[in-house]
Amino acid sequence: MRALVVIAHPCSDSFTHAAADRVVAGLRTGRHDVTTIDLYDDGFVAAMSLAERRAYHSEQPILDPMVQRHADLVAACEIIVFVYPTWWSGLPAMLKGWLERVMVPGVAFRFHERSGKVKPALTHVRRVVGVSTYGSPHTLVRLVNDNGRRVIMRALRITCGFRTRTAWLGMYSIDTATESDRAQFLERVESKLASL
């Protein structure tokens, strides 16, 4: 299957990038065709412009060529994997902005012509996977609702088909994790992605 890996961390030597490398390795072991988007390396602009907001409900809601390239990659993938750190109980601004600018009408969803209701447009996506790190322990993350996970596993998932399967891999308490803890998590990530 065609897999798209979206990475959102500014530091190329981060644990997030180490996890992304293992995601790619696992997907390739599973014989998937892998494309990566490194949002910071690409210089992606997270903020939606006034012109983009005004074009949002038009026939052409995407005005930026980079956003269009990313939307084309989304349209071509069957697996989409998000790799990012959880900051302030949610998605990094870069990834949130990517969702807002790329997952627009015509890409992630459509409006029914008569009723105006939202219809999924990512029905070609068979798997959605999230890989994230957390400074807090799992119990505290659950207490604050794990907002990034909810956006990806619920809100984005709704724009896919009912048969789309999801998987979540979280590295909790990373600030106090041992090298062994980190190595075990990376092995789990690669193994899980290889099994898709």
Side-chain angles (χ1 to χ4, degrees):
M1 287 190 279
R2 293 178 304 275
L4 178 63
V5 180
V6 182
I7 309 162
H9 196 293
C11 303
S12 61
D13 61 349
S14 65
F15 187 76
T16 296
H17 275 85
D21 290 344
R22 298 299 280 271
V23 164
V24 170
L27 288 167
R28 288 189 175 141
T29 297
R31 300 180 186 242
H32 300 292
D33 180 20
V34 184
T35 302
T36 61
I37 296 174
D38 184 328
L39 297 178
Y40 285 92
D41 192 51
D42 284 357
F44 188 84
V45 175
M48 180 183 286
S49 70
L50 174 61
E52 287 173 318
R53 181 61 190 115
R54 289 189 170 150
Y56 190 83
H57 290 286
S58 73
E59 292 295 316
Q60 292 188 319
I62 296 177
L63 306 177
D64 183 315
M66 181 185 291
V67 174
Q68 186 62 59
R69 277 195 314 276
H70 290 190
D72 292 343
L73 291 171
V74 169
C77 77
E78 296 160 284
I79 300 170
I80 187 164
V81 185
F82 297 93
V83 189
Y84 69 93
T86 295
W87 290 336
W88 281 96
S89 303
L91 301 169
M94 180 67 83
L95 183 51
K96 180 70 164 55
W98 186 84
L99 289 169
E100 291 174 358
R101 294 184 69 214
V102 174
M103 299 297 188
V104 296
V107 177
F109 57 93
R110 292 181 176 82
F111 294 105
H112 190 277
E113 292 176 12
R114 294 182 189 155
S115 69
K117 292 183 180 179
V118 173
K119 294 173 49 177
L122 294 176
T123 54
H124 58 282
V125 175
R126 296 170 60 187
R127 295 278 193 155
V128 176
V129 180
V131 179
S132 190
T133 58
Y134 303 83
S136 300
H138 186 254
T139 51
L140 183 57
V141 170
R142 287 189 61 185
L143 184 66
V144 297
N145 290 322
D146 199 353
N147 296 312
R149 180 177 181 172
R150 288 166 58 103
V151 167
I152 292 169
M153 295 289 110
R154 293 185 186 180
L156 181 67
R157 167 68 178 72
I158 289 170
T159 65
C160 301
F162 284 112
R163 295 183 182 157
T164 300
R165 297 178 67 192
T166 62
W168 193 262
L169 297 159
M171 174 73 191
Y172 302 93
S173 302
I174 192 165
D175 298 334
T176 57
T178 65
E179 286 302 315
S180 176
D181 295 333
R182 290 172 182 239
Q184 286 176 22
F185 178 75
L186 293 177
E187 288 173 15
R188 187 163 64 101
V189 166
E190 186 168 346
S191 175
K192 179 65 178 177
L193 275 293
S195 70
L196 294 184

